[in-house]
Amino acid sequence: MKAVIAGGSLGGLFAAHMLRRRGWTVEVHERVEQALQGRGAGIVTHPALLEALRAFGLPADDSLGVRVAERLVLARDGSVRGHREVPQLLTAWSRLFHLLRTALPDECYRSASEVVGFEQDDECVRIRLSNGREIEAALLVAADGLRSAIRKRLLPGAEPRYAGYVAWRGMVDEAVLSAPVRERVFPHFVFDLPPHEQLVAYPIAGADNSVEPGRRRFNFVWYRPADEHGALRDLLTDAEGRHWPEGIPPPRVRPEVLAAARHAAAEVLSPQCAEVIAKATNLFFQPIFDLESPRLAFGRVALLGDAAFVARPHCGMGVSKAADDASALAEALAGTASVAEALQAYERRRQPEGTRIVAHARALGTYMQAQLRTDEERAMAERHRSPEAVMRETAMPITPGVAVD
Ligand SMILES: Cc1cc2nc3c(=O)[nH]c(=O)nc-3n(C[C@H](O)[C@H](O)[C@H](O)COP(=O)(O)OP(=O)(O)OC[C@H]3O[C@@H](n4cnc5c(N)ncnc54)[C@H](O)[C@@H]3O)c2cc1C
């Protein structure tokens, strides 16, 4: 049985590994030509992600990244407002990508190869690629991300919805931080909670994957409200006046926009976090979206990972969810000879789970929204904004099937 996977990022790679373990032949097609880059983004690991890596025989130990034992909330004057013991292993997008990609034989992975169309019938699905090639397969997995063209065709109404705030991201080498900042922030999971904003920062491995003190990096995500028709529009407009509504490439962000973000960091954040942002070399931002798909199965085509659901990053579940989707898909396909029936079973299991994760992450992020529209939003915002609630709930897994607020 042959599966074609559209998208060769983490979701596509998880699907490829899970299906190969069940005896499928897979071809992953990734439209980007160069090796994918995570721009230094950190990833919080959860037990489901570690289990998935172990299942492929990949390391799921301390070689993945940096262990932290405690969470801290810093106040505007740099003092500690609160702390909580939460042991966690923190890795990096590029580390996970490298592990999963090198464990997949090269003949299964095609770069610079875009899926541009497909047709299906009872016998097979025929997939068209950008180079003109056509492939017949039993299954097409759409792991083509938030802007999935496959989802757009199958579910034209399921559009990403802007959440009302953006995430500024970046990282800094441990060695360039001043000694007092280094001592305060390493090796903790740090929060800074200015009104209607949130910064989450934590250590990850350094350039050569080193986790030795002095050679690590500190990675941050700083959420700031940006009204869709005012501040966001300005952030997404480049120096030539071109507007990039679906996300501006980092090199096109105007220097004055970056300077304003650094200035705001000095105005509203603790001195430690402001220094981290002042010294970050790769400051960039991403608008935050919610995306929900009412269906995941369409005959021989399945949606997976961010193509299916995108939750705001506050639970840190995106990568674990993609791994869980892939494992549920492979299990469903092992249980029946009919691909279409198996995909229905996959949808029954994963669609409610995706809906639940999106709802929980939306509740956690409500207090950053530029505008709170309803009483329910205002109540949620109040409920999830105290330092204790933020430390307890952020970047924590939610257990499948168990109710969350
Ligand atoms: C600010 C922020 C912080 C985050 N932090 C975390 C975290 O701490 N922990 C966590 O688990 N998750 C986090 N996430 C989410 C996580 O990055 C994603 O959920 C995860 O990477 C799954 O992505 P994916 O592979 O499904 O999609 P993507 O990574 O978007 O990949 C889709 C791929 O498909 C390719 N593609 C698109 N169209 C086609 C086509 N037609 N043909 C071929 N290829 C195509 C694209 O080039 C791309 O490589 C965060 C996200 C954001 C925005």
Side-chain angles (χ1 to χ4, degrees), residues 7 9-11 29-31 44 115 143-144 169 286 306 313 316 318-319:
S9 175
L10 297 181
H29 292 270
E30 168 53 52
R31 73 171 169 204
V44 181
V115 171
D144 50 348
R169 307 187 73 171
Q286 290 167 274
D306 281 11
V319 175

Side-chain angles (χ1 to χ4, degrees), residues 225-271:
D227 177 65
E228 187 167 8
H229 305 291
L232 181 67
R233 200 177 162 88
D234 181 59
L235 292 173
L236 294 173
T237 302
D238 69 16
E240 275 90 53
R242 176 167 170 196
H243 179 228
W244 299 78
E246 296 196 349
I248 184 167
R252 313 242 14 144
V253 177
R254 298 185 336 265
E256 64 265 32
V257 165
L258 297 175
R262 289 198 164 97
H263 180 75
E267 295 282 304
V268 304
L269 297 175
S270 62

Side-chain angles (χ1 to χ4, degrees), residues 1 5 10 18 23 27 41 108 163 170 204 224 230 236 270 276 279 283 336 358 393:
M1 296 282 261
I5 299 170
L10 297 181
M18 292 290 184
E27 264 188 42
C108 299
I204 56 174
R224 308 203 74 204
L236 294 173
S270 62
V276 167
K279 292 183 170 171
L283 188 63
T336 163
V358 170
E393 295 168 333

Side-chain angles (χ1 to χ4, degrees), residues 133-215:
R133 199 178 140 213
E134 198 169 285
I135 321 168
E136 277 188 8
L139 168 69
L140 170 62
V141 179
D144 50 348
L146 171 72
R147 303 279 171 198
S148 167
I150 299 175
R151 184 196 65 240
K152 259 186 207 153
R153 175 173 149 189
L154 295 166
L155 285 175
E159 282 291 310
R161 274 187 302 150
Y162 175 56
Y165 53 101
V166 302
W168 283 92
R169 307 187 73 171
M171 61 181 177
V172 60
D173 287 337
E174 182 175 1
V176 307
L177 291 173
S178 64
V181 170
R182 212 165 44 231
E183 277 154 29
R184 179 70 280 166
V185 298
F186 275 93
H188 299 291
F189 195 113
V190 172
F191 294 89
D192 202 321
L193 304 174
H196 298 290
E197 301 190 14
Q198 185 184 104
L199 178 138
V200 177
Y202 50 86
I204 56 174
D208 52 0
N209 247 334
S210 174
V211 292
E212 259 176 61
R215 305 182 64 173

Side-chain angles (χ1 to χ4, degrees), residues 5-13 29-32 36 41-46 49 93 109 113-116 143-150 167 169 202 221 223 286-288 304-307 309-311 313 315-322 395:
I5 299 170
S9 175
L10 297 181
L13 287 172
H29 292 270
E30 168 53 52
R31 73 171 169 204
V32 172
L36 298 179
I43 297 288
V44 181
T45 69
H46 293 313
L49 174 60
W93 190 96
Y109 193 97
S113 182
E114 182 173 358
V115 171
V116 292
D144 50 348
L146 171 72
R147 303 279 171 198
S148 167
I150 299 175
R169 307 187 73 171
Y202 50 86
V221 186
Y223 301 103
Q286 290 167 274
I288 299 298
L304 174 145
D306 281 11
F309 284 93
V310 174
C315 335
M317 293 276 296
V319 175
S320 304
K321 190 188 81 62

Side-chain angles (χ1 to χ4, degrees), residues 80-93:
V80 174
R81 271 174 82 185
H83 56 94
R84 184 182 175 89
E85 231 177 86
V86 181
Q88 253 173 336
L89 178 62
L90 305 162
T91 186
W93 190 96

